[in-house]
Each structure stands twice: as C-alpha cells, then as structure tokens.
C-alpha cells in the first residue's frame, strides 16, 4: 500500500480504503502502476486500480500475479 500512499500523497491507507475516495485519478493510477511494476515485476493495467472496489483488492491482484496463484475471485465493476 505504500506505493499507492506515495502516489496519492496521503496515508496511512487501509486495505478497505477506496482509491477514488482519496483523489485517485488516471494519472495517479499510472504512477502507482509504474512503481508497482518496478518493485514487483508484475504487469497489471492501471485500469485495475481504478476499477477495483478497494485498494486491498488491487493488492490481492498483484499478489496473485506475482506468486502465480490461481485466481479464485475476479472483481470487476459492472456497468
């Protein structure tokens, strides 16, 4: 969550916090994506952070991809 806190220039955040509630916009999502990729090597679209319900869901997605775990839950914002 430190990456998101730095991108949003706020903190501390919890896994239940929503990215948009702290002023998260597309440019902030891109900054978070770049840092996450540099630190973990995980490729995840910035849109995933924007579409996720909480910051914790985004962190779970990164963990799943980093550890090559099977995805048991897929989250998506439906129209």
């Amino acid at each position: 969550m430190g990456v998101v806190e730095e991108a949003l220039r706020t903190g501390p955040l919890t896994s239940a916090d929503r990215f948009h509630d702290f002023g998260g916009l597309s440019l902030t999502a891109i900054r978070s994506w770049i840092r996450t990729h540099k630190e973990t090597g995980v490729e995840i679209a910035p849109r995933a952070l924007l579409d996720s319900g909480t910051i914790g869901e985004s962190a779970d997605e990164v963990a799943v991809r980093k550890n090559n775990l099977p995805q048991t839950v897929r989250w998506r914002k439906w129209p």
Side-chain angles (χ1 to χ4, degrees):
M1 283 193 250
V3 169
V4 177
E5 287 175 348
E6 288 178 26
L8 291 172
R9 296 183 176 124
T10 190
L13 297 174
T14 69
S15 59
D17 288 327
R18 297 178 48 82
F19 185 71
H20 294 288
D21 292 344
F22 289 88
L25 303 171
S26 58
L27 288 175
T28 310
I30 290 170
R31 282 190 212 118
S32 297
W33 168 74
I34 290 169
R35 285 283 313 279
T36 299
H37 179 65
K38 284 181 180 178
E39 291 184 16
T40 66
V42 171
E43 286 283 342
I44 190 166
R47 186 85 205 158
L49 186 55
L50 295 169
D51 287 346
S52 65
T54 64
I55 294 169
E57 289 174 352
S58 296
D60 289 345
E61 181 77 11
V62 171
V64 164
R65 291 175 185 237
K66 182 176 182 182
N67 298 308
N68 295 317
L69 300 172
Q71 288 183 293
T72 56
V73 177
R74 295 286 299 167
W75 43 262
R76 184 175 172 190
K77 194 175 198 177
W78 296 100

